[in-house]
Amino acid sequence: MSTKFQTPNTKTDTSLKGSIASSVLSQSSLSLLYPPFADISNICSENIAPSVGNELTASVASAVVKMLEQMGVQYAFGVSGGAIAPLWHSLENSSIQVIHFRHEAGAAFAATEAHFTSDRPVVVFTTAGPGITNAITGLYAARWDGAKVIFLSPSTSASQRGMWAFQETSAYTMPSADIFTTGKLFHYATTLESGEQLPEIARRLGLGLARPGGFVAHLSIPTAVQTSTAKTSWSKVNLTAPGVTVSEETVSECAELISRGKFAIWVGFGARNAAKEIRQLAETTGAAVMCSPRGKGIFPEDHPQFIGSTGFAGHKSVLRYMQQSRPLHTLVLGTRLGELTSFWNPAMIPSQSFLHVDIDPEVPGTAYPTAQTVAIQSDVKLFVRSLLKHLPKSPIETQQSLPKPECEIFSSFNTGAVRPEVLMNAIQQIIVDGSDALIIAEAGNSFAWGNYMLRFAQPERYRVSTGFGAMGHAVTGVVGAALARNGKAVAIVGDGAMLMNSEVSTAVKYKIPAVWIVLNDSCYNMCAQGTTMQGFNNLDIGIPQGDFVKIAQGMGADGIRIETESDIQLALEKAMLSPVPFVVDVVIDPTRLAPIGSRIENLISQNTSV
């Protein structure tokens, strides 16, 4: 049962005050201006501040690139081709840094990570036909993860459509729905058939980039149109938008609810800009704090009030807390509570209600539709700041005997293959604690070990994709992250992912200091372990063992192979000091069970509930 603060007629539990049920978002609320996933042409234009128009007399390709520069784009990632050549040339001759990738999906994954690192929109470009379809997986990851990415592609010129042109890209050969139109993949998509469309395209892109959360757009430009003349002008769009917030009355009601007794805070990736405020809230109230896998580090994991991460490879300490000290309310900040965050485990439901804060009004109540949920559409930072004003200034004593996340430390080394737990302990010491590098964990056992064993005290040091969860995301995304932060970024990946979609060559070409730590166990080990746990045996998941150091060196990078645990420290230190892209190839003991039990239990429950 969900209580929606933003609508006056939403049902609510009778135990909640009437003012909560009738509370409405203030008129400054962005929800009135930027309805999530809505057609952004309906946005109120008076809330966008225009500036002096910019007269353009140039090719459409040049005009599009100038528009992107004005919108703050610094990077364009993609793969070239004849159909995109005019636009590609204009990008190369602009202030935008163009990075030429080896695969379009890798370019899109890298764009997602570059956006989160730089907080700027990033361009992805491809050629026609297969260039577009290759990019789709990475673009879906951008959409699911909430990145801001603008996709540029060519389409077949009007005079050649239906004639089987090479790599023809038209309604004759490709589906239009969701690829060339606004839908499940793109928040905004259009085909530019004339330079006269540019003012409207600029307006809609600008409004989309100003909205909170992600925005993925597709601008398809026929090859002939790219070189046509654009004589037009448009008003520059101010990309600064007001924050979503709720009334003081609503905040006061929330403050009263959490003051009635024990409550917990559940932190997600959407709260990454509110780390300071969340810590102050926790220390003021004494609340227990847990985080989603994507939210690691927003609240310091070494803080005495932190009880662990939830969901996939989460900590049993969280479930112990919920079972032994179940809170009256749980304040959910910036997480959808999706499958890999919650597994929809009923044990995570508080005794009275969730107070769920999110900028997307569709999120609260979705994961737990039968649980009492007070839905609050707001920017997390603005809400927590306002909430703090309604709470006592003096800190409340922390809840006693809060359980702590498990931490397994090995005091001696094995002489055989490397245990992943020992490797993770070394990564913690040398990379997490010993540097400021960003760490990205690949889907699979790499993510399981990273989420379970690595501990972060600062936000935005750890990245995983728990929505789309595509293999190859971290392998290629690390290149975009390292470029955008102009410093080290480290990907923890499996050998399967490293063989699937690698951009080591791209990092070499542009001197990007990415590091790959490959868990080389000669198999798709999460599939191997997971299917065995489900009762399916003798499946072929083996991979011939590769030598990733030789592969890296063959492309101009450097690397080192680790076959015993005593070699880990020196190898990681060498990787972090390397001025060139570096691969650490670790021969992993495949018999060590990764902490994926909760995921497998959830899959088994799905099989029995059909």
Side-chain angles (χ1 to χ4, degrees), residues 19 264 287 404 459 495 507 594:
S19 58
K404 303 300 178 190
D495 50 343

Side-chain angles (χ1 to χ4, degrees), residues 418-496:
V418 175
R419 291 167 292 179
E421 301 97 321
V422 176
L423 175 63
M424 291 298 156
N425 285 335
I427 291 173
Q428 177 72 46
Q429 176 188 351
I430 297 165
I431 300 177
V432 179
D433 298 337
S435 79
D436 66 349
L438 173 73
I439 295 176
I440 307 177
E442 186 65 78
N445 277 3
S446 302
F447 167 33
W449 288 117
N451 192 52
Y452 183 73
M453 296 203 66
L454 299 182
R455 303 167 301 284
F456 296 86
Q458 305 88 28
E460 301 190 77
R461 289 279 315 276
Y462 183 65
R463 277 281 300 140
V464 291
S465 176
T466 57
F468 208 56
M471 282 182 65
H473 186 138
V475 171
T476 55
V478 68
V479 176
L483 175 69
R485 75 192 308 269
N486 192 29
K488 290 284 185 182
V490 178
I492 304 174
V493 306
D495 50 343

Side-chain angles (χ1 to χ4, degrees), residues 107-175:
F109 289 135
T112 296
E113 297 309 321
H115 162 72
F116 287 125
T117 302
S118 67
D119 200 29
R120 287 174 174 265
V122 180
V123 161
V124 174
F125 65 91
T126 72
T127 193
I132 296 170
T133 57
N134 283 348
I136 285 177
T137 298
L139 293 168
Y140 265 115
R143 172 76 184 242
W144 282 47
D145 277 15
K148 284 184 163 68
V149 172
I150 299 172
F151 178 44
L152 304 179
S153 76
S155 55
T156 302
S157 301
S159 62
Q160 298 180 338
R161 294 171 191 167
M163 299 172 62
W164 291 103
F166 177 64
Q167 296 180 337
E168 179 167 339
T169 302
S170 72
Y172 290 94
T173 58
M174 296 180 69

Side-chain angles (χ1 to χ4, degrees), residues 220-273:
S220 174
I221 313 175
T223 303
V225 175
Q226 294 175 43
T227 56
S228 65
T229 301
K231 295 181 179 179
T232 185
S233 64
W234 63 77
S235 295
K236 185 177 179 181
V237 178
N238 181 3
L239 299 185
T240 302
V244 187
T245 188
V246 290
S247 68
E248 287 298 313
E249 183 181 17
T250 293
V251 177
S252 177
E253 294 290 344
C254 289
E256 183 176 337
L257 285 175
I258 66 175
S259 297
R260 291 178 182 175
K262 189 183 302 179
F263 88 102
I265 302 173
W266 200 343
V267 180
F269 186 67
R272 62 192 180 279
N273 295 324

Side-chain angles (χ1 to χ4, degrees), residues 3-5 7-24 249-250 253 256-257 260:
T3 300
K4 301 280 187 179
F5 276 163
T7 53
N9 58 349
T10 304
K11 295 179 182 179
T12 183
D13 190 274
T14 55
S15 65
L16 304 180
K17 281 196 171 183
S19 58
I20 288 185
S22 62
S23 177
V24 183
E249 183 181 17
T250 293
E253 294 290 344
E256 183 176 337
L257 285 175
R260 291 178 182 175

Side-chain angles (χ1 to χ4, degrees), residues 251-322:
V251 177
S252 177
E253 294 290 344
C254 289
E256 183 176 337
L257 285 175
I258 66 175
S259 297
R260 291 178 182 175
K262 189 183 302 179
F263 88 102
I265 302 173
W266 200 343
V267 180
F269 186 67
R272 62 192 180 279
N273 295 324
K276 179 181 176 181
E277 289 78 8
I278 292 171
R279 179 167 183 166
Q280 184 180 351
L281 174 63
E283 292 176 347
T284 297
T285 60
V289 183
M290 52 195 166
C291 72
S292 72
R294 294 178 77 200
K296 285 172 68 70
I298 295 174
F299 188 83
E301 295 190 73
D302 58 359
H303 194 284
Q305 289 172 243
F306 182 72
I307 60 172
S309 61
T310 64
F312 183 66
H315 299 115
K316 294 179 181 178
S317 50
V318 173
L319 290 177
R320 285 202 304 272
Y321 169 79
M322 294 300 297

